[in-house]
Amino acid sequence: MTITGPVPEAGLTGADLTEASLHASLSDPALESMNFLNEIGMRYPEAISFASGRPCEEFFDVGLIHSYLDTYCGYLAGERGLPADQVRRLLFQYGRTKGIIGDLIARHLELDEDISADPESIVVTVGCQEAVFCVLRALRRDSRDIVFAVDPSYVGLMGAAMLADMQVWPVRSGPDGIDVHDLAAQAARARAAGLRPRACYVIPDFANPAGVSLTVPQRRLLLDCAAREGILLLEDNPYGLFHDGEALPTLKALDTTRQVVYLGSFAKTGFPGARVGYLIADQRVAAQGGGICLLADYVSKIKSMVTVNTSPVTQALIGGKLLQHGCCLAAANQRETQVYQRNLHQVLDGLAARFGEPGAAVGTGLSWNTPRGGFFIVVTVPFTADDAMCEYAAREHGVIWTPMSHFYANGGLSQLRLAFSQLTPEQIETGLGRLAAMVKSVSQ
Amino acid sequence: MTITGPVPEAGLTGADLTEASLHASLSDPALESMNFLNEIGMRYPEAISFASGRPCEEFFDVGLIHSYLDTYCGYLAGERGLPADQVRRLLFQYGRTKGIIGDLIARHLELDEDISADPESIVVTVGCQEAVFCVLRALRRDSRDIVFAVDPSYVGLMGAAMLADMQVWPVRSGPDGIDVHDLAAQAARARAAGLRPRACYVIPDFANPAGVSLTVPQRRLLLDCAAREGILLLEDNPYGLFHDGEALPTLKALDTTRQVVYLGSFAKTGFPGARVGYLIADQRVAAQGGGICLLADYVSKIKSMVTVNTSPVTQALIGGKLLQHGCCLAAANQRETQVYQRNLHQVLDGLAARFGEPGAAVGTGLSWNTPRGGFFIVVTVPFTADDAMCEYAAREHGVIWTPMSHFYANGGLSQLRLAFSQLTPEQIETGLGRLAAMVKSVSQ
């Protein structure tokens, strides 16, 4: 938020406004997290930042944009048999609201995730954020409709829910992610309060921010619980591909009752600047005029009112990347996966070398989780790791991390999140040294 | 909407839904207009369609995408002096919520529209639709906040308002667009009903759907009225550039009190597939924590919850097109303007040749307006021009137009909209002949 400085009241006109007259989301502190971290980063540019969960940049190459576009156009002309004027129209003109690469996304899902998705149930969106917003907006009929989310949860979910005026009801987290027993308990509590639980948002694999993953039995319990409670599971999966070779099945792959709306992102497996995501919403909806539609059809209607359709050019870039790797994103991301796994192990090893064994409160009293993939590790510390401490760490020790309290409805004051996706081995080594010095100075 | 056909009830699961449980916008008939027209078009592919307001396609060229990208990258490296890794990061990584081409858009506005805009007050959006949605969402604090719009109005405005749960309050139209006296009267009525008028949406130049333009004195009256009533004017201007050589000043160019939020689209002056639009929101907002921010800062926060940021690749394409024409879109669109002007005059001349003088109910009893630019003409007919008549016209006479009733809160049953942007001279000639035959057959 740009503060343009104090403007004399005399300079204001009748057209000027007060924040209190604007939508409530605009005054919510949850939205200030990103600003806080950006500002810290800008004020201390020499600090090593474990705050950013952005993908690594070493394989970015402008030539790839040209190459992806050519590959996709070649596919349209060849495999799809489109004449040149139709290829031009597809890229330049307004287009199908659900998108034009649903077929390629379905191939990828089959290969990488063992998910069989009807392309008609796929809606391509402007990043996964738009998918989250559109599905919440569709499910929010009135103020009684609520969505569950594990506490701590992803800030983007909070933002989308606030925009949809939909209450996010927190559910306790266990050591591996959402506590399924608490989900059932909270659903009962919400119903008793006259509310209608509609969905539960989860990141089962290498969650942001907690870094944890649900075990397979917990996934099955969660599916059963959702079916029993009559709620949808909104499964967000931006990091699942970056594992150590042993992937767990997604909820959607285990789903036999259409309980799961799958939220897909190409920000990490494609590239963020494409702003391409999608969802699978294969749920049946009994239409008011009779007949049965897919939930994807309704979400697509919402999308048409938000952004009309996702740019076919950016879809072509993701389509081209998919095609260049036989629609297998695990293959397309071999180098990236190696970087993330290398960084993960370097951080875990570096923490153990400095603080003792993970999980055990040895010496300095620190503990941390040990994910097998993803971008994040959470460290529990024996002191308050709030914004003031974060600023102190940046200023005095040249290291930045994210206070976990930003992601909690309540709590998280003694936890910090380390993101390692964008760092070099040298930065990790130096950064962990600085973190250790900071911990030492605070613990004295 | 894809109807997947009757599915046996036994096939439904607990995860399936009813339309009545979804957001009210999804059952609103206003959203069915586009479906209706698409379906008619698909059922009668041989019919000549005056329904589509899409830009002409004859200058689309896939090579341009490569060329625009190269031009923009050259500008970043040259004029902006960015090293190669920063150029790559700008295109591939997450980016600034307000966008990266605000400087070029400001140059264009200065050259083409005589608007001086601080780039900090510009937010680049995923098409103009996202700009409309974000500004309405920001202005809608609770159910008392309403937006005015001339009746008939653009469907996209209705959609965005429905998604923001914001009531659209209709204002009467005069022969040139919004009736400013009625706006004042409706504002008083709304206030008496306990509501808070926040803004009025207008397309002053070659409006969609009515084709009309406000005179300069009416523009000044409208600005005065908005200032008096304390409402913002949301000025949408997708067609203003396609005039006969004599442009009228935009509201924003006449605005001395920051009364106008300007909504810009590159769908017609760039290309629709880029999905790039923007808004100028230079209004001052008194922040709750003290200090003054720009309304653009708040809109940008909303945008961050909807789509995070607009794809920098698509921004680079529009940036490249701007740069290739010295940021002058009038120059960039000379050929397109010629096509639209040629088509406009062919339709006007063709109507006069077949039905007598415009504006006069001669012979067949038809009249129509005579815009000097844009994409649309509205014809008033002495019979009911509803969906059934549209279907009859397509089936029996091979011609499609848009029933104006789709754009009205009430009325428009004897009006049809002719869009001529995408037709060849031959199609216009044949189409008008078919229209005349249809009118004759109905009038008998």
Side-chain angles (χ1 to χ4, degrees), chain A residues 47-50 390 393-395 397-401 431-432 434-435 438:
Chain A
I48 289 175
S49 177
F50 288 94
C390 179
R395 189 181 66 237
H397 296 279
V399 62
I400 300 176
W401 33 264
L432 289 180
R434 294 179 181 183
L435 182 72
M438 183 215 94

Side-chain angles (χ1 to χ4, degrees), chain B residues 235-312:
Chain B
E235 176 178 33
D236 195 359
N237 187 21
Y239 311 104
L241 213 71
F242 305 113
H243 55 72
D244 62 359
E246 301 204 26
L248 301 182
T250 61
L251 293 173
K252 192 65 190 160
L254 299 171
D255 181 23
T256 56
T257 56
R258 298 191 290 270
Q259 216 67 45
V260 179
V261 173
Y262 185 85
L263 303 163
S265 168
F266 292 111
K268 281 80 188 180
T269 55
F271 63 99
R275 309 301 314 120
V276 177
Y278 65 96
L279 56 73
I280 312 172
D282 56 2
Q283 288 71 27
R284 269 58 171 163
V285 179
Q288 286 192 332
I292 302 283
C293 301
L294 294 171
L295 181 58
D297 296 315
Y298 288 91
V299 172
S300 155
K301 268 180 139 180
I302 299 269
K303 179 187 165 57
S304 76
M305 297 181 263
V306 180
T307 58
V308 184
N309 59 270
T310 303
S311 168

Side-chain angles (χ1 to χ4, degrees), chain B residues 356-375:
Chain B
E357 282 307 298
V362 174
T364 50
L366 263 66
S367 61
W368 56 92
N369 58 4
T370 54
R372 287 172 34 218
F375 285 17

Side-chain angles (χ1 to χ4, degrees), chain A residues 27-71:
Chain A
S27 306
D28 195 288
L31 289 189
E32 294 302 322
S33 307
M34 294 299 143
N35 284 322
F36 167 75
L37 290 166
N38 287 339
E39 276 168 31
I40 291 276
M42 280 194 287
R43 262 195 291 155
Y44 304 103
E46 299 304 313
I48 289 175
S49 177
F50 288 94
S52 164
R54 295 179 167 203
C56 69
E57 299 178 349
E58 59 188 287
F59 310 115
F60 291 170
D61 170 1
V62 177
L64 284 173
I65 298 180
H66 295 290
S67 152
Y68 293 152
L69 182 64
D70 287 339
T71 298

Side-chain angles (χ1 to χ4, degrees), chain B residues 346-420:
Chain B
Q346 201 191 338
V347 174
L348 289 175
D349 294 348
L351 288 171
R354 286 167 179 85
F355 302 112
E357 282 307 298
V362 174
T364 50
L366 263 66
S367 61
W368 56 92
N369 58 4
T370 54
R372 287 172 34 218
F375 285 17
F376 308 108
I377 293 166
V378 170
V379 182
T380 303
V381 293
F383 52 82
T384 299
D386 59 5
D387 287 1
M389 182 61 73
C390 180
E391 203 271 339
Y392 163 81
R395 187 181 69 237
E396 298 296 325
H397 295 279
V399 62
I400 299 176
W401 33 265
T402 307
M404 281 290 285
S405 54
H406 284 278
F407 307 113
Y408 274 93
N410 290 299
L413 278 171
S414 62
Q415 291 186 326
L416 52 92
R417 188 190 75 174
L418 301 182
F420 48 77

Side-chain angles (χ1 to χ4, degrees), chain B residues 118-381:
Chain B
D118 174 4
E120 278 300 318
S121 70
I122 294 175
V123 182
V124 184
T125 52
V126 181
C128 190
Q129 183 69 25
E130 192 194 27
V132 177
F133 172 70
C134 288
V135 71
L136 292 183
R137 179 79 294 197
L139 292 176
R140 198 271 193 193
R141 177 78 188 187
D142 64 40
S143 61
R144 288 168 295 180
D145 296 302
I146 62 164
V147 58
F148 293 113
V150 70
D151 198 28
S153 207
Y154 170 54
V155 179
L157 180 268
M158 305 296 180
M162 279 193 289
L163 273 201
D165 289 324
M166 192 172 195
Q167 186 186 344
V168 178
W169 185 291
V171 177
R172 216 164 37 215
S173 56
D176 308 309
I178 192 164
D179 176 335
V180 180
H181 296 291
D182 192 52
L183 175 60
Q186 297 303 333
R189 272 193 56 204
R191 285 208 181 82
L195 301 174
R196 281 191 302 246
R198 299 301 298 266
C200 177
Y201 173 89
V202 275
I203 307 180
D205 292 280
F206 316 130
N208 180 8
V212 293
S213 298
L214 290 174
T215 64
V216 176
Q218 285 167 336
R219 288 170 200 236
R220 294 195 189 281
L221 276 177
L222 181 57
L223 284 161
D224 289 347
C225 176
R228 220 166 33 239
E229 300 292 342
I231 60 176
L232 295 175
L233 295 173
L234 311 181
E235 176 178 33
D236 195 359
N237 187 21
Y239 311 104
L241 213 71
F242 305 113
H243 55 72
D244 62 359
E246 301 204 26
L248 301 182
T250 61
L251 293 173
K252 192 65 190 160
L254 299 171
D255 181 23
T256 56
T257 56
R258 298 191 290 270
Q259 216 67 45
V260 179
V261 173
Y262 185 85
L263 303 163
S265 168
F266 292 111
K268 281 80 188 180
T269 55
F271 63 99
R275 309 301 314 120
V276 177
Y278 65 96
L279 56 73
I280 312 172
D282 56 2
Q283 288 71 27
R284 269 58 171 163
V285 179
Q288 286 192 332
I292 302 283
C293 301
L294 294 171
L295 181 58
D297 296 315
Y298 288 91
V299 172
S300 155
K301 268 180 139 180
I302 299 269
K303 179 187 165 57
S304 76
M305 297 181 263
V306 180
T307 58
V308 184
N309 59 270
T310 303
S311 168
V313 178
T314 59
Q315 292 185 73
L317 301 183
I318 295 300
K321 181 163 186 175
L322 284 166
L323 286 161
Q324 287 184 7
H325 299 91
C327 291
C328 176
L329 285 180
N333 284 277
Q334 274 186 317
R335 294 179 306 179
E336 287 80 357
T337 303
Q338 279 169 14
V339 167
Y340 300 138
Q341 284 285 320
R342 179 199 68 198
N343 286 2
L344 166 66
H345 289 291
Q346 201 191 338
V347 174
L348 289 175
D349 294 348
L351 288 171
R354 286 167 179 85
F355 302 112
E357 282 307 298
V362 174
T364 50
L366 263 66
S367 61
W368 56 92
N369 58 4
T370 54
R372 287 172 34 218
F375 285 17
F376 308 108
I377 293 166
V378 170
V379 182
T380 303
V381 293

